[in-house]
Each structure stands twice: as C-alpha cells, then as structure tokens.
Amino acid sequence: MIGRRVLRTTGLLLVPALAACSIGDVRRTPPDRSSASPRPAPTALVPSRPVGFDEVRHVRVAVDRRYDRPFVEFVDADHGYALFVAACDDPPPAGGCPAALLYATGDGGRSWRALRHPRPVAVNQQLYAVPGALVLLAEPYGWYTSTDGGATFAHTTGGEPAALVAARGRFQVAEGLGAVAERDGATLRPLPVQPAVPGLNTVGHSGDLVVAAGARDGRPSAAVSRDGGRHWVSTPLSWRGDEVGVLRVVIAPDGGAWLVGERPDRAGFPALWRLVGGPEWAPVRAVGHPAQARSVAPLGAELVAVTGPGGVGVVAGGRYYRVDWPLTSEHHLTVLGEGTIAARGPDDVVLGTGWTANRRWVRVVLDEG
C-alpha cells in the first residue's frame, strides 16, 4: 500500500516524544463449532469510558449466553463484521446447537445490524473481511462470498474464493509451486523470471516494487524487483546466526518495505530489516527490546509498533521505547488498508486512527445481551 511520502528523519524526530510517553492454507483452526438464521435484532449502546481511550463503543446485541465471544474483523476504521458461534459437539446434536449469528457495522462499531447467515449450521464457521468482500467458511458446505455488504452471497466449494485470493494482492506465492506469481483476473500465473530465494514463502509489493523472501535452515534471504518482477536483484541480509523460522515481507503505509524474521518458536523478539536505496536491507536495531513479542507492525516513517509480554512499545531510531497506548500484551496488531491500526484482543478490537505514532484510540466491544 502506498501512502503519503514522509521525510526520512520523521521517525527520529518522534523519538523524544515516544520516550516521554502467512502462509499456506488461510483456514483458521478454532474449536469445532456448529451453528439457523438470525433474526434482525436491535442494538443498544452501553455507556462506558475507561481511562486511556479517546472513545469506547460498547454495544450489546440480542445474543444469548450459549455463544462464545464474537470473532470481529474490520476492513477499515468504519466497516467491520462479527460472527457469533457456539461451542457444540462434532457432529452437533440435532437441533441442539444454536446457529451462527452474523452482524455488520458501517460506523466503526457504534451500531451493529444483523445479517442473514447463508449457512448458519455448520461444523467450522469462519469469517474473513477483506476490501470489497465478506467471505464466510462453513464446513463441510464450502465458501460464501458477499460483495454487497452481506445482502447476498455466492456459494463456491473447493479452493479459496477469488475474493480471498485477490485480497493478497497482485503478486503472491503460488501454493505448491514455490514460485512468485502474478494475478491475472482470477488466475495466478508464475512469473517467467523467478527470484533466487531459497525457502521462498512470502511476497510483498508496492506498485512495481516487488519483494520476495524466505528462510531455509534458519538463514533468511530476499530478492527485489523494481519493474514488476521482470528482473530481480538478490539482496543479502546481514545475519548473525540467529535462527529465523519464518521471514515475512511487510509493506508499511508509506510504501516502505520491511522484513520481519520470526523466531522458530514464534515468540522471541523478531529480527527486522528495512529496504534502503541500492537496493539493500538495513538491519533495524531495537536496543532495550523485550525478549518476546506477540505482534509487530511497521507504521511508516521508520517506526514499528510492538505488543507482547513486555507490554506495548515502538521501535524508532534503533531503540525500543515503551509507549502509553491503551493496549495490552494480549492485543495483536495489524494495519488496515487505509492505515488504521486494528488491535484485536480477547474481548475487544481497538482502532487507532491517525499517522505513525500519533493516534486516536477507539475501543470497540460487542457483547451478548
């Protein structure tokens, strides 16, 4: 994603302020669940203003206590979807398990409206919200895709629907081929010229800039193309022998390319590199960082947000700084298409709108009631 251009010194200028204050099958593996069509239900706003948030949007919907906490995904700061499912036996007892309930918001979680779930009784219910589409998985029946906000759904079986494939972008790793492919309509076509990347498992792009990366035997490697994958330059990574289990390409909101080297246990603080002119990868130091991290998210202007057992922090200017954002170690960070930080926790989603480290924080809670 390409955002507004930022001067290279911006991140360093923010340091004093900070000091003061996948891969493979997209299917998730939740517990076996079962779920019949929800009735439209009114929503009621619950007043709540904990310290630390600029706003709290706490809404109760007509869902009984048999349901688990909802799975909530936002596409941007305004549009999101929620799926309520109940823990049931596998297979579910006849008539003994509540149906999945589906809701949508178009105002950032201030209100939620009930949608008709196209296959409310199934073993494994999952929800994916991507730009322009809502995708549901209801096993063993298949996929249901809506491009009109949940008003209608198209049913497909087999592999992932086109909307999920398209959401990964123009360039992707072709599953089973270990090759960089370009999306041509609904088809992924391997590029005629492939990068020399052992263990290729991730691709990211911004315009004609394409980055391919991977890791083999704990050693990370990457290649860069600046002409849409027609020519590649292998770009060595400084490496101290620390094992990298998975190497991910992440494109920041300002268009900058980053590599995140996750440790084999997925818990240790990751290795970080940033693409600079040349091209070459500059290792990003994080002096004072905690031993572990739950999630990391490049924010632009050479800043990286981090959550984990050590709390919430930002990497800037070669150091790790604790920040007083209203997030916990349990929140998992992602950056939405328009630059909003979405931090998903066990009981809420926190939306951070703004730029780099300057954010307005909104807590969204959807409850049974």
Side-chain angles (χ1 to χ4, degrees):
M1 173 179 46
I2 300 176
R4 52 178 157 165
R5 196 175 288 273
V6 183
L7 292 177
R8 194 176 169 198
T9 56
T10 304
L12 297 178
L13 293 174
L14 287 172
V15 168
L18 292 170
C21 44
S22 85
I23 297 156
D25 193 339
V26 71
R27 305 184 189 199
R28 306 181 180 99
T29 54
D32 290 335
R33 304 191 187 279
S34 171
S35 21
S37 209
R39 299 175 184 172
T43 61
L45 194 63
V46 179
S48 178
R49 294 183 179 276
V51 175
F53 296 101
D54 296 285
E55 184 180 351
V56 174
R57 300 165 185 169
H58 190 171
V59 173
R60 295 191 188 279
V61 294
V63 174
D64 67 46
R65 298 293 179 180
R66 291 176 294 174
Y67 288 87
D68 292 338
R69 297 289 310 168
F71 180 80
V72 179
E73 277 201 350
F74 277 84
V75 180
D76 55 39
D78 293 323
H79 300 88
Y81 299 91
L83 180 68
F84 285 90
V85 293
C88 293
D89 297 332
D90 181 16
C97 190
L101 302 177
L102 183 63
Y103 289 84
T105 181
D107 56 11
R110 294 181 181 88
S111 64
W112 295 83
R113 70 185 188 280
L115 301 176
R116 183 191 66 82
H117 194 297
R119 180 64 71 167
V121 178
V123 173
N124 180 19
Q125 297 276 12
Q126 298 185 25
L127 175 153
Y128 304 89
V130 298
L134 166 63
V135 180
L136 304 175
L137 174 64
E139 293 183 330
Y141 305 104
W143 302 90
Y144 298 83
T145 302
S146 175
T147 57
D148 55 11
T152 61
F153 287 86
H155 178 223
T156 57
T157 58
E160 296 171 14
L164 278 187
V165 176
R168 295 197 185 98
R170 175 182 163 196
F171 297 96
Q172 304 177 27
V173 175
E175 295 295 335
L177 299 179
V180 178
E182 185 174 10
R183 185 170 55 85
D184 178 12
T187 303
L188 283 176
R189 303 183 186 280
L191 296 176
V193 179
Q194 290 291 317
V197 177
L200 173 72
N201 67 344
T202 180
V203 174
H205 67 92
S206 175
D208 283 337
L209 170 68
V210 188
V211 179
R216 176 173 292 171
D217 298 327
R219 179 181 291 274
S221 59
V224 174
S225 171
R226 295 193 180 276
D227 57 7
R230 291 189 292 274
H231 302 87
W232 295 90
V233 176
S234 294
T235 49
L237 301 178
S238 59
W239 184 66
R240 298 175 302 179
D242 298 316
E243 282 189 305
V244 173
V246 174
L247 190 63
R248 294 189 293 114
V249 179
V250 181
I251 305 299
D254 61 0
W258 292 73
L259 296 177
V260 178
E262 297 181 0
R263 305 306 181 185
D265 63 0
R266 299 294 184 93
F269 197 91
L272 299 170
W273 295 267
R274 183 176 56 85
L275 184 64
V276 296
E280 63 180 280
W281 293 98
V284 176
R285 302 181 65 204
V287 176
H289 70 73
Q292 296 182 319
R294 173 178 294 274
S295 63
V296 299
L299 303 179
E302 302 181 20
L303 302 179
V304 179
V306 181
T307 63
V312 184
V314 170
V315 176
R319 297 192 63 86
Y320 173 89
Y321 297 89
R322 290 289 299 271
V323 292
D324 59 358
W325 294 349
L327 305 177
T328 71
S329 61
E330 296 297 311
H331 281 101
H332 186 278
L333 301 175
T334 57
V335 179
L336 304 180
E338 91 295 30
T340 296
I341 294 175
R344 184 185 295 115
D347 301 313
D348 63 6
V349 174
V350 179
L351 302 174
T353 57
W355 184 247
T356 60
N358 303 309
R359 301 278 168 166
R360 182 176 186 273
W361 299 101
V362 174
R363 184 176 187 235
V364 178
V365 183
L366 185 60
D367 270 334
E368 308 96 335

